[in-house]
Amino acid sequence: SLPTKKNKTAVSSYSHAVLIGNDPVLIGERLNPTGKPKLKEAIKNGDINYILNEAVKQQDKGAHILDVNVGLPDIDEAVTMKKIVSSLQAATDLPLQIDSPNAIAIESALRIYNGKPLVNSVNGDEESMSAIFPLVEKYGGTVIALTMDGEGIPKTAEGRVKLALKIIERAAEYGIKKKDIIVDPLCMTVSSDPESAKVTLEAVKMLKSLGIKTSLGISNISFGLPEREKINAAFFTMALSSGLDCAIMNPLSQLMTDVYYSYRVLAGKDEVCKDYISYVSSAPVKESVTGSEKKDISLEYAIIKGLKEQAAKKTVELLESESPIDIVNSHIIPALSELGDGFEKKKVFLPQLLTGAEAAISAFGIIKEKIPADNVNDDKAIVIATVKGDIHDIGKNIVKVLLESHGFKVYDLGKDVPPETVLECVKRTGCRLVGLSALMTTTVPAMAETIKLLRKNVENITVIVGGAVLTEEYAKAIDADRYCEDAMATVRFLKDFYA
């Protein structure tokens, strides 16, 4: 039988969906360059690392969706949007809100987006609707509809609701359902219009009564006023009480997140107050946005979040006070272990695992440069390789760095290495110690084939094996001499082997 159609408003990433309507949804606003000079420079200069760092900070603070806006003069917005959306999807599993008035830029993102995105935005002007609705119909997605048209923004709540209904009716002509439209009744600054908040909140209530989902850019309300966070937090509370579904806001503002978690308790949306208790237990008592932005990050954090440049920079800093081996053991391996555990528990997904590995490799590169060349003893050598069919080499790379830091000569053949290549290296170098790695169960036979070839063609060969899928029993079954459960076990074996 055909699946039953569900009347749910949702957006998704490649890993999970965010439902809109049951619980307030936080849309992180910090990837919009308006009023953010550092972000503007990062977008202009292609500083992806800065942008990714802003993204993961918002995720860490509880954002459910990230707004992405790259609208700056003198850049190719479509090219830039595509590049940044692609990079963000590798670093975070949060759904994205594609934010642009430029239909070409929106389409460049929709073509490569993994999941069901949130498109921001369309308005009641025919030119906007005829440009945006075909994209939403073609690529899928949920769209934010602004209650404005060529005549401006209606001054009354009734006028904004009427315009919203017109947009929803027009969208239906493209096959876009009411559930896939979120209406933004627009809040204008109260500093120029004292009635602005009242009209907007009344529109939210009216739309709610009609079963229409709503969104607001919260910080617009306080433009031009001092200490804007105070106004924003009060308005956010009022909007949530009026039934607001989505808030575009700053998740790094403790005052705003205080409101969110407190509201959910009082509205009966936080069972036994568990989210609130977790929040207040982990959040610092007083953390300003400025302090959060300036807070130093650890090497472990950089690796887990896949921030390559920060990982390299932090490694350079740590080398001033710690030895290379201590950095590997105390910082890099624990971070990779956390990623691996998360992957096994399906809390971390493949793109995050890969970007974390790349960040670790950037740290390894810095560490390797600090290992003295004369520290390596060519007489104490090993050939290492990830076997044919397996492209995962982070474990092998850890082993390599640790062995070199302990003075061993390493012939690294890389990943996806055929048995014949391993044999050729053994014959060429005269090395009689080989280390083989496999992460995938399906490549263990290739490991067995490599060992069989070495045994047949080389006398006195010693083969050690390791990798996530290997066990002591596996190692014996494929005729390996030793199973090493981790990188340090490999170091200890080589020390005994060459003693």
Side-chain angles (χ1 to χ4, degrees), residues 439-453:
L439 185 69
M440 302 163 63
T441 306
T442 53
T443 58
V444 173
M447 183 179 278
E449 182 185 345
T450 304
I451 295 173
K452 183 177 180 181
L453 185 67

Side-chain angles (χ1 to χ4, degrees), residues 134-207:
L135 298 180
V136 176
E137 186 274 332
K138 179 179 181 180
Y139 295 101
T142 298
V143 63
I144 289 183
L146 308 181
T147 55
M148 59 185 293
D149 58 14
E151 297 181 6
I153 302 169
K155 293 188 180 300
T156 65
E158 291 80 6
R160 295 182 196 184
V161 172
K162 182 179 179 181
L163 186 50
L165 293 173
K166 170 192 167 183
I167 296 171
I168 291 170
E169 183 179 347
R170 185 78 171 89
E173 297 176 18
Y174 291 88
I176 300 169
K177 295 181 170 52
K178 173 182 169 184
K179 73 179 182 66
D180 286 323
I181 298 176
I182 300 171
V183 174
D184 184 340
L186 298 170
C187 58
M188 311 307 292
T189 178
V190 290
S191 62
S192 60
D193 180 4
E195 298 296 309
S196 174
K198 291 171 59 179
V199 171
T200 297
L201 295 174
E202 183 60 31
V204 169
K205 293 175 184 176
M206 292 175 68
L207 290 163

Side-chain angles (χ1 to χ4, degrees), residues 330-401:
S330 301
H331 302 279
I332 298 177
I333 290 178
L336 290 172
S337 296
E338 184 172 337
L339 275 173
D341 291 344
F343 186 67
E344 289 180 359
K345 296 173 182 176
K346 301 189 184 306
K347 294 181 179 179
V348 170
F349 298 90
L350 185 58
Q352 296 161 289
L353 191 68
L354 296 178
T355 54
E358 289 175 1
I361 289 170
S362 73
F364 286 141
I366 300 297
I367 289 173
K368 185 177 177 182
E369 292 174 4
K370 297 298 180 181
I371 299 173
D374 58 5
N375 187 43
V376 177
N377 187 337
D378 289 353
D379 294 330
K380 298 180 177 181
I382 183 172
V383 176
I384 64 172
T386 299
V387 297
K388 184 173 177 58
D390 203 318
I391 60 170
H392 304 88
D393 64 352
I394 187 63
K396 173 186 66 64
N397 292 338
I398 294 173
V399 169
K400 178 183 178 180
V401 171

Side-chain angles (χ1 to χ4, degrees), residues 184-290:
D184 184 340
L186 298 170
C187 58
M188 311 307 292
T189 178
V190 290
S191 62
S192 60
D193 180 4
E195 298 296 309
S196 174
K198 291 171 59 179
V199 171
T200 297
L201 295 174
E202 183 60 31
V204 169
K205 293 175 184 176
M206 292 175 68
L207 290 163
K208 183 79 170 181
S209 70
L210 296 171
I212 299 170
K213 306 299 189 300
T214 55
S215 174
L216 286 173
I218 299 297
S219 61
N220 292 341
I221 201 72
S222 63
F223 186 78
L225 293 172
E227 300 192 43
R228 296 178 60 186
E229 272 192 311
K230 294 179 179 179
I231 296 292
N232 293 346
F235 180 65
F236 188 25
T237 304
M238 296 171 74
L240 290 172
S241 300
S242 299
L244 182 69
D245 296 298
C246 303
I248 303 174
M249 47 76 76
N250 178 10
L252 303 190
S253 164
Q254 187 176 333
L255 200 53
M256 293 292 282
T257 50
D258 284 351
V259 166
Y260 169 75
Y261 285 100
S262 300
Y263 167 80
R264 291 185 69 250
V265 170
L266 298 174
K269 296 179 180 295
D270 184 0
E271 187 179 355
V272 299
C273 306
K274 64 178 185 301
D275 293 335
Y276 174 79
I277 293 169
S278 175
Y279 167 69
V280 297
S281 299
S282 60
V285 177
K286 292 182 180 179
E287 180 183 27
S288 67
V289 176
T290 302

